[in-house]
Amino acid sequence: MQSSLLSDISPVASQLKESSIRAIANFGMSQKDVIPLWFGESDIVTPDFIKQAAFESLEQGQTLYTPNNGIPQLRQALADYQSRLFGRPFTDENIVVTLSGTNAVMLAAQAVLKPGDKVVVITPAYPILTAIPSLLGAEVVEFPLTQVEGRFELDMEALFAVTKDARALVINSPANPTGWMASEQQLKAITEFSRQTGVWIISDEVYNRHVYEGTSAPSFCQFIDDHDRIIVCNSFSKTWCMTGWRLGWLTLPQPLRPTITKLIEFNVSCAPAFVQAAGIAAIEQGEAFLQQTLKRFRHSRDMVREALGKIPGVTLYEMPATFYAFLKVDGLANNSQPFILDMIEKSKVGVAPGEAFGEAGCGHLRVCYGINHTSLAIALERLQTALENR
């Protein structure tokens, strides 16, 4: 009976691969004294001023349904925030509030994709960026970044050749897991390419404030207008340490907003009022907190460079953004899980397998250096020893 039941579910769902990051984490969490560097979050808890806004909302009884596309106050706060950040006007009509950045990507994909569509995803990429189009029946084509002397580069000519007959291009910049960041010139060229070809752009920009030079990473928000086939996905999770709150937003052309609003109704209905109140506090009061976290991450990045930058047979790529180090390890099998599981047991430190981020990630490891400096120093010492003795 069980076999018959499982054979009758959606083939797309049944063939979906388990997240190897989650598999590693589940094993690591069952072991004692393991320092976790596998998940994409810091150990910084949400600051009190954000939590207080949620408490006050709850005390005021704000526990009922909210508008599908977000409460007006949060949408306006986000429009004002982006107007300041990018030096051009946005209105609340360009903003839709979502339940997390993941939900934002799903809604964008549901709005523009249909079964059989070709979707090009720049890789290595966070698994949802390939999984979501696949779940919707699209044909996913991975386009790998080029590795050049310890850094990643995007071959624009080759990208346009592969994408010219596609329905959509999915890009994550700054990128998880590599830390690669597209230039302003590249994003402008991709915008012009979209205008000429009609290819949709779904841009995941959840790390746009986690940059170590400048105020923000280059963004499609610098170029988007109400005629563009461009949807920008963002999240509160990383910038304001709100991973567990599940709050994000879309920046999009105004004509697309009614369609996205309907999709929200049939996906999740709406974001909770008290979570959106916390989001307003983050947007309006969170800049000093963000700068404090970036200061900490800069020092963490220096610690990673010192510990992992000179290991024979290990390439540590440049880290201009995010809080990830991406390592190419000579001799590491395409399936790095046995190495990582062994390292968890023997060295008591765990990282994410590179192949979780697509074929271009094979032979690599991702290290999240968002934890406190005391724990990070111990973890890096353990990781360095494991890599040197591999």
Side-chain angles (χ1 to χ4, degrees):
M1 181 66 179
Q2 186 71 9
S3 175
S4 175
L5 183 149
L6 292 179
S7 65
D8 198 36
I9 66 174
S10 162
V12 175
S14 65
Q15 293 169 19
L16 192 66
K17 294 181 180 179
E18 178 190 20
S19 166
S20 55
I21 303 173
R22 176 60 69 172
I24 291 292
N26 288 343
F27 176 76
M29 288 186 288
S30 72
Q31 306 294 302
K32 291 184 178 180
D33 302 321
V34 176
I35 300 179
L37 306 178
W38 44 62
F39 284 146
E41 63 180 354
S42 75
D43 62 0
I44 305 173
V45 298
T46 306
D48 288 344
F49 69 89
I50 293 177
K51 292 186 287 187
Q52 185 61 36
F55 294 153
E56 292 175 1
S57 174
L58 286 168
E59 288 176 347
Q60 294 168 14
Q62 296 178 1
T63 60
L64 304 179
Y65 288 130
T66 62
N68 297 128
N69 59 10
I71 61 175
Q73 299 94 320
L74 179 55
R75 288 192 286 110
Q76 187 60 55
L78 286 164
D80 293 343
Y81 166 73
Q82 294 196 155
S83 297
R84 294 191 303 270
L85 195 60
F86 301 116
R88 58 192 304 263
F90 290 87
T91 75
D92 63 346
E93 297 293 317
N94 296 116
I95 305 296
V96 170
V97 176
T98 67
L99 268 72
S100 77
T102 299
N103 179 230
V105 175
M106 175 61 85
L107 291 166
Q110 287 177 330
V112 304
L113 299 181
K114 60 183 183 299
D117 280 343
K118 176 181 175 180
V119 178
V120 177
V121 182
I122 298 174
T123 60
Y126 186 57
I128 69 158
L129 300 182
T130 53
I132 285 176
S134 295
L135 280 169
L136 297 176
E139 173 199 354
V140 174
V141 176
E142 297 185 17
F143 183 86
L145 293 167
T146 305
Q147 301 171 12
V148 181
E149 298 179 350
R151 67 180 185 276
F152 286 97
E153 293 185 354
L154 179 61
D155 185 331
M156 297 290 287
E157 184 176 347
L159 175 67
F160 291 158
V162 170
T163 310
K164 63 182 180 181
D165 61 342
R167 173 65 173 174
L169 169 66
V170 178
I171 177 172
N172 171 212
S173 172
N176 174 12
T178 61
W180 166 80
M181 184 166 52
S183 69
E184 182 175 329
Q185 292 78 14
Q186 287 173 325
L187 296 188
K188 186 175 182 180
I190 293 172
T191 300
E192 291 300 325
F193 173 80
S194 171
R195 290 168 178 167
Q196 294 169 10
T197 62
V199 172
W200 280 91
I201 308 298
I202 299 175
S203 180
D204 176 353
E205 300 186 9
V206 302
Y207 295 95
N208 77 310
R209 298 301 308 278
H210 274 154
V211 295
Y212 298 110
E213 292 185 10
T215 303
S216 171
S219 169
F220 283 104
C221 289
Q222 297 171 246
F223 312 109
I224 190 172
D225 65 35
D226 283 336
H227 302 289
D228 282 322
R229 290 176 170 83
I230 299 175
I231 306 174
V232 178
C233 310
N234 216 318
S235 170
F236 289 77
S237 291
K238 315 298 180 178
T239 306
W240 296 285
C241 297
M242 296 175 66
T243 51
W245 295 76
R246 314 316 297 143
L247 187 64
W249 77 93
L250 291 168
T251 305
L252 40 68
Q254 290 187 24
L256 192 57
R257 196 168 69 94
T259 298
I260 295 288
T261 300
K262 287 184 291 184
L263 286 170
I264 292 173
E265 170 67 19
F266 299 117
N267 274 270
V268 294
S269 182
C270 58
F274 56 91
V275 174
Q276 294 187 68
I280 294 172
I283 287 289
E284 294 182 345
Q285 305 172 45
E287 191 63 28
F289 169 77
L290 170 61
Q291 295 307 318
Q292 290 173 359
T293 62
L294 287 174
K295 182 179 179 180
R296 184 180 120 166
F297 292 153
R298 284 189 186 95
H299 182 67
S300 301
R301 183 179 62 163
D302 291 342
M303 293 171 65
V304 171
R305 284 172 172 163
E306 179 66 24
L308 307 180
K310 299 178 182 178
I311 300 174
V314 175
T315 300
L316 174 63
Y317 294 98
E318 291 182 356
M319 297 175 282
T322 74
F323 43 58
Y324 303 116
F326 204 54
L327 309 173
K328 182 179 181 182
V329 182
D330 292 352
L332 188 65
N334 286 347
N335 179 8
S336 66
Q337 289 192 57
F339 173 80
I340 298 174
L341 295 175
D342 184 68
M343 183 168 63
I344 288 173
E345 283 193 295
K346 295 178 180 178
S347 302
K348 298 300 180 181
V349 63
V351 299
E355 64 270 15
F357 306 96
E359 291 185 13
C362 291
H364 294 76
L365 303 173
R366 187 196 72 177
V367 178
C368 177
Y369 56 81
I371 64 173
N372 66 84
H373 292 153
T374 300
S375 297
L376 181 61
I378 299 170
L380 289 173
E381 183 178 356
R382 295 175 181 179
L383 181 56
Q384 179 181 2
T385 301
L387 289 170
E388 289 175 342
N389 297 333
R390 69 188 185 280

